[in-house]
Amino acid sequence: MKKQFNNFNKSKLMLSVFLSAFLFFSCSGDTTTSGGEAVVKPSNLVVVATPTGVSTQNPNGDGSGTVSFTFTATNATSYKIALGDGETKETTTGSLTYTYNAAGTNTYTIYVSAYNGSQFVSSSVSLTLYVAPKAIWADEFNVDGAPDATKWVYDLGTGDWGWGNNEAQYYTSRTDNVKVQNGVLKITTIKENYNGSNYTSARIKTQGKFSFKYGRVEIKAKLPSGGGTWPALWMLGDNITSAGWPACGEIDIMEHLGNQLNKIYGTLHYPNFSGGNAVSRTTNITNATTEFHIYSLDWRADSIKFYVDGTLFHTFTNTSALPFNQNFFLIINCAIGGNFGGTIDPNFVSSTYEVDYIRVFN
């Protein structure tokens, strides 16, 4: 009787161990328990990313940057999405609309996790998206008179105390030298005696009004003629007043010399590479002084690219060690003579630098 009792207890013990093991493995892996109930791991995760305006002509979207995401997964109650641009979103609806801002055509890897309690399953999808550049600042020069005082200030004088290059002009704010007329900014360089100088011109800038970090700049301009003329569109770092030049960095989007007709310069100045040692490239065009051309700059954290009429002619590698990773402001001017402008044509009387527009995009 005692032996039968022991066998019965042994059988009961083995059944208890079996049931415990069965319950443990049933709750591991694809399930957990929450409040005594089994939580099933999601499965069959499907992610679909659809840019707005996709068509045969626009396979990467219409340029708005807006993308509609849908997520489906069996047993999922919520989704977490890493959008590939540093942003992360969560949703319980299985859908999300998001707008990307980086201009150009970029490819993002989207990571999605479908959750049910602490259980989850993950997947990823690649998204190639076109985002049209968005204007963040512009001057179309549509109002006659002086340049818009909300956008521009003047540099006045010869600059011989710091920013001149032994040039011959005196910069003024007179309408004789700078005005907006018939939808065009006109900077006119004139041979005349003025405050001890033999020439006058103008130099305007956005310092204190507008500056930006990274983006695309476009200027549509017709350049002045005459030996010694030196028109430019360029930028300086906001910290020039504290860091000085060339530590602040300088980006010359366009420079032209009347003594080198139709040769366009794109140049960068920074410590150890400034003045005559700056990093510069040139391209030759036609009719620089008789027709309007578009001079542009594509400035990013890893590169700075110079274009004329959409044709790339200078690519510079930008790094975090250089001063080209801070806010810069814009400058438009026309100098004459000096270290770079060179010999002034003795027959020069006057010439006008005309700017149809300047636009800055993100």
Side-chain angles (χ1 to χ4, degrees):
M1 187 69 163
K2 184 177 182 181
K3 186 175 181 179
Q4 289 178 344
F5 177 78
N6 287 341
N7 287 340
F8 173 77
N9 284 341
K10 185 182 293 186
S11 299
K12 185 177 180 182
L13 178 61
M14 290 176 65
L15 178 61
S16 176
V17 170
F18 172 77
L19 289 173
S20 297
F22 175 79
L23 290 173
F24 173 80
F25 285 112
S26 296
C27 294
S28 299
D30 290 344
T31 60
T32 59
T33 56
S34 177
E37 296 184 2
V39 178
V40 181
K41 181 178 181 179
S43 60
N44 304 319
L45 174 59
V46 176
V47 180
V48 177
T50 306
T52 298
V54 168
S55 66
T56 302
Q57 294 76 22
N58 301 300
N60 300 313
D62 60 6
S64 67
T66 300
V67 181
S68 297
F69 294 95
T70 58
F71 322 105
T72 58
T74 305
N75 297 314
T77 58
S78 64
Y79 301 88
K80 187 173 183 179
I81 309 98
L83 289 152
D85 64 348
E87 292 292 322
T88 299
K89 301 291 183 180
E90 296 185 26
T91 179
T92 59
T93 65
S95 63
L96 174 72
T97 299
Y98 182 75
T99 299
Y100 291 82
N101 293 312
T105 301
N106 300 290
T107 298
Y108 302 94
T109 301
I110 317 301
Y111 294 95
V112 180
S113 294
Y115 283 85
N116 185 15
S118 62
Q119 295 277 42
F120 67 93
V121 62
S122 299
S123 186
S124 65
V125 64
S126 180
L127 168 67
T128 300
L129 180 68
Y130 169 66
V131 178
K134 297 178 178 64
I136 58 173
W137 184 93
D139 198 335
E140 303 293 332
F141 303 112
N142 287 332
V143 179
D144 285 0
D148 187 343
T150 67
K151 297 179 178 180
W152 301 100
V153 296
Y154 301 91
D155 273 328
L156 302 175
T158 63
D160 55 5
W161 56 87
W163 46 259
N165 294 279
N166 299 311
E167 301 146 20
Q169 82 287 334
Y170 191 103
Y171 287 129
T172 84
S173 59
R174 304 179 308 165
T175 57
D176 289 344
N177 295 116
V178 57
K179 62 185 175 182
V180 176
Q181 186 179 46
N182 298 325
V184 175
L185 171 71
K186 297 182 177 181
I187 293 179
T188 302
T189 304
I190 304 170
K191 183 177 182 178
E192 61 177 329
N193 294 320
Y194 188 89
N195 283 359
S197 296
N198 294 321
Y199 300 85
T200 59
S201 191
R203 170 166 149 160
I204 60 175
K205 60 185 181 179
T206 65
Q207 186 177 20
K209 304 285 186 178
F210 168 75
S211 65
F212 69 105
K213 175 182 175 182
Y214 307 143
R216 183 176 180 86
V217 183
E218 291 184 359
I219 174 174
K220 185 177 181 181
K222 182 169 64 176
L223 308 183
S225 60
T229 56
W230 174 11
L233 168 67
W234 50 301
M235 307 195 302
L236 288 171
D238 265 356
N239 65 342
I240 186 171
T241 55
S242 57
W245 184 91
C248 66
E250 175 181 328
I251 303 174
D252 300 328
I253 301 170
M254 180 284 298
E255 291 179 288
H256 176 261
L257 304 178
N259 288 318
Q260 297 178 18
L261 190 63
N262 294 320
K263 179 184 282 189
I264 305 301
Y265 286 80
T267 307
L268 299 111
H269 300 259
Y270 54 101
N272 300 317
F273 296 91
S274 61
N277 195 38
V279 178
S280 187
R281 298 289 185 274
T282 63
T283 188
N284 290 305
I285 62 174
T286 58
N287 305 318
T289 62
T290 58
E291 295 182 5
F292 283 89
H293 295 268
I294 297 176
Y295 305 93
S296 55
L297 179 84
D298 188 324
W299 171 30
R300 306 186 183 210
D302 59 355
S303 67
I304 302 174
K305 297 179 179 181
F306 299 76
Y307 299 80
V308 178
D309 295 328
T311 300
L312 175 67
F313 73 95
H314 184 188
T315 299
F316 176 84
T317 300
N318 194 16
T319 72
S320 60
L322 299 177
F324 306 116
N325 300 283
Q326 59 169 322
N327 278 27
F328 275 61
F329 61 89
L330 297 161
I331 306 169
I332 310 175
N333 73 292
C334 187
I336 188 165
N339 300 345
F340 195 50
T343 302
I344 302 172
D345 182 347
N347 297 314
F348 179 87
V349 177
S350 71
S351 190
T352 300
Y353 176 15
E354 298 184 50
V355 180
D356 185 16
Y357 61 76
I358 297 180
R359 298 167 182 166
V360 181
F361 302 88
N362 65 328

